[in-house]
């Protein structure tokens, strides 16, 4: 007996009715509007409470998905995520092969997100999910990026001091005036994330990179809670890494499409000064003076060579680095397993 193809109309059944019947028999998948991406390293104790509070804030109000990214945890984080996913269909999980850092964890979560709005939160319960509706309201007002501002921070004094230095420096250098650029609680339209490659520690500078591409960036005050479990990994080393990334951001935001304005000006200036020095020595030589033993001769040559190198090689290396990271947007993240 041959199989019956239900996609073909029955004898005498109009094709339009057959297509409608097929559509009715197919399962309907409702995609979420909001995708929350929560990376974490050894935060297993805080995940159940975080998932519960997010559900309380959004259930019945928004179609959402909660994507926990296990960034190589050595505790029971992945087991907790699997249990939460079995209890709540909105919870999904992504597990990386090892600890790759927050940028890679966020990228892996963004790749799996299906919503039109992306929200990032830390997994340590310091961010309050009750603020989520405020982020969404701000996006609906027409903004593309919304950054949380911890008005009353409950952090150690040294961390507050370092954070203020960092935010003040970033605001001065980039022109994007935010009270807390480093806050992990942010909301984006999906096109923002799709257009900006994230590598190294550049995830903290997404608002500055987005502003440079014409996206609207704003901030809202949020509640902040003291860490409930574990200890903070924020310190001086992170500030130092951030300073190097800030230099990269300045180049990418100001000179990505016009690198000659930076390296060309510096290279041309050095080469011009070197040529003037050599011209001066040439005049002296023509007048009968010895110039072979003068240090000024070597200085002029050095400035010309250095200027040519800056002009021809410096910006090319930086620009190729950025282009290579853009191509990496198409690479597969190092995921070990996931819960769909």
């Amino acid at each position: 007996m041959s199989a019956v193809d239900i996609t073909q109309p029955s004898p005498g059944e109009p094709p339009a009715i057959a297509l409608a019947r097929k559509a009715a028999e197919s399962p309907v998948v409702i995609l979420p509007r909001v995708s929350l991406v929560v990376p974490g390293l050894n935060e297993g104790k805080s995940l159940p409470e975080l998932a519960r509070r997010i559900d309380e804030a959004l259930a019945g109000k928004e179609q959402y998905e909660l994507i926990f990214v296990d960034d190589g945890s050595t505790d029971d984080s992945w087991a907790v995520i699997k249990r939460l996913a079995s209890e709540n269909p909105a919870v999904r999980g992504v597990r990386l092969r090892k600890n790759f850092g927050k940028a890679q964890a966020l990228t892996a979560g963004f790749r799996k997100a299906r919503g039109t709005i992306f929200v990032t939160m830390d997994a340590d319960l310091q961010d309050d999910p009750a603020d989520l509706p405020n982020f969404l309201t701000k996006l609906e007002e027409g903004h593309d990026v919304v950054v949380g501002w911890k008005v009353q921070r409950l952090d150690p004094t040294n961390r507050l001091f370092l954070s203020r230095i960092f935010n003040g420096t970033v605001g001065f250098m980039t022109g994007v005036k935010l009270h807390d650029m480093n806050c992990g609680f942010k909301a984006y339209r999906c096109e923002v994330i799709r257009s900006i490659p994230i590598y190294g520690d550049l995830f903290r500078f997404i608002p500055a990179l987005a502003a440079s591409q014409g996206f609207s960036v704003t901030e809202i005050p949020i509640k902040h809670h003291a860490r409930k479990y574990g200890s903070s990994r924020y310190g001086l080393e992170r500030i130092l890494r951030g300073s190097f990334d800030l230099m990269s951001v300045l180049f990418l935001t100001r000179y990505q499409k016009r690198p000659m304005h930076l390296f060309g000006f510096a290279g041309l200036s050095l080469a011009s000064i070197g040529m003037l020095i050599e011209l001066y020595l040439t005049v002296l030589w023509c007048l009968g003076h010895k110039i072979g033993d003068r240090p000024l001769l070597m200085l002029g040559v050095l400035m010309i060579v250095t200027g040519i190198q800056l002009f021809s090689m410096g910006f090319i290396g930086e620009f190729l680095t950025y282009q290579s990271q853009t191509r990496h947007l198409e690479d597969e993240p190092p995921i070990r397993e996931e819960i769909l």
Side-chain angles (χ1 to χ4, degrees), residues 17-32:
I17 296 179
L19 290 175
R21 175 170 54 82
K22 179 184 175 183
E25 293 171 350
S26 301
V28 178
V29 178
I30 301 177
L31 295 179

Side-chain angles (χ1 to χ4, degrees), residues 239-304:
I239 289 289
L240 293 176
R241 292 203 314 265
S243 64
F244 291 117
D245 286 314
L246 176 59
M247 288 187 277
S248 298
V249 169
L250 289 176
F251 173 76
L252 296 177
T253 55
R254 295 185 182 181
Y255 303 105
Q256 176 210 344
K257 296 183 179 179
R258 43 179 183 165
M260 186 65 75
H261 288 204
L262 173 64
F263 295 100
F265 177 77
L268 186 61
S269 298
L270 285 176
S272 298
I273 294 173
M275 292 179 67
L276 288 175
I277 291 174
E278 298 304 313
L279 179 60
Y280 165 72
L281 293 175
T282 301
V283 172
L284 291 181
W285 178 77
C286 292
L287 293 176
H289 296 277
K290 293 179 61 176
I291 63 172
D293 57 351
R294 294 197 178 197
L296 197 59
L297 176 64
M298 294 306 299
L299 176 62
V301 172
L302 180 61
M303 294 184 74
I304 291 174

Side-chain angles (χ1 to χ4, degrees), residues 111 193-198 325-331:
R111 295 279 183 85
I193 299 302
R194 302 300 188 201
S195 62
I196 297 176
I198 305 172
Q325 293 301 328
T326 302
R327 288 194 296 271
H328 287 171
L329 285 172
E330 300 176 359
D331 296 342

Side-chain angles (χ1 to χ4, degrees), residues 81-298:
I81 292 172
K82 290 197 291 186
R83 176 172 59 81
L84 293 174
S86 66
E87 297 171 353
N88 184 351
V91 175
R92 303 170 65 198
V94 174
R95 185 186 187 191
L96 303 188
R97 291 192 294 269
K98 67 171 189 175
N99 177 226
F100 285 93
K102 192 171 182 179
Q104 189 68 272
L106 286 172
T107 299
F110 290 149
R111 295 279 183 85
K112 301 302 178 181
R114 299 171 296 174
T116 57
I117 294 174
F118 293 172
V119 178
T120 61
M121 298 180 65
D122 292 333
D124 54 14
L125 294 176
Q126 291 191 275
D127 299 327
D128 196 330
D131 289 317
L132 283 168
N134 298 332
F135 279 87
L136 302 181
T137 299
K138 208 67 177 177
L139 288 176
E140 290 168 356
E141 292 176 2
H143 298 287
D144 302 302
V145 180
V146 183
V147 182
W149 170 22
K150 304 167 187 173
V151 180
Q152 296 182 343
R153 296 189 60 166
L154 302 177
D155 286 322
T157 303
N158 64 323
R159 181 170 178 177
L160 291 174
F161 178 72
L162 293 174
S163 181
R164 285 174 182 171
I165 293 177
F166 175 81
N167 287 303
T169 304
V170 172
F172 175 76
M173 300 295 287
T174 65
V176 181
K177 305 296 184 180
L178 296 173
H179 290 86
D180 197 358
M181 176 81 72
N182 198 39
C183 179
F185 202 174
K186 298 182 177 77
Y188 314 89
R189 296 188 187 277
C190 63
E191 54 265 28
V192 175
I193 299 302
R194 302 300 188 201
S195 62
I196 297 176
I198 305 172
Y199 62 97
D201 280 350
L202 290 188
F203 62 87
R204 69 183 80 253
F205 297 105
I206 293 178
L209 294 169
S212 72
Q213 296 191 21
F215 292 108
S216 172
V217 179
T218 189
E219 65 181 355
I220 61 171
I222 60 173
K223 294 181 286 293
H224 187 238
H225 302 281
R227 175 178 276 271
K228 194 171 182 179
Y229 305 104
S231 59
S232 173
R233 289 174 284 273
Y234 188 97
L236 181 59
E237 178 191 1
R238 192 167 166 185
I239 289 289
L240 293 176
R241 292 203 314 265
S243 64
F244 291 117
D245 286 314
L246 176 59
M247 288 187 277
S248 298
V249 169
L250 289 176
F251 173 76
L252 296 177
T253 55
R254 295 185 182 181
Y255 303 105
Q256 176 210 344
K257 296 183 179 179
R258 43 179 183 165
M260 186 65 75
H261 288 204
L262 173 64
F263 295 100
F265 177 77
L268 186 61
S269 298
L270 285 176
S272 298
I273 294 173
M275 292 179 67
L276 288 175
I277 291 174
E278 298 304 313
L279 179 60
Y280 165 72
L281 293 175
T282 301
V283 172
L284 291 181
W285 178 77
C286 292
L287 293 176
H289 296 277
K290 293 179 61 176
I291 63 172
D293 57 351
R294 294 197 178 197
L296 197 59
L297 176 64
M298 294 306 299

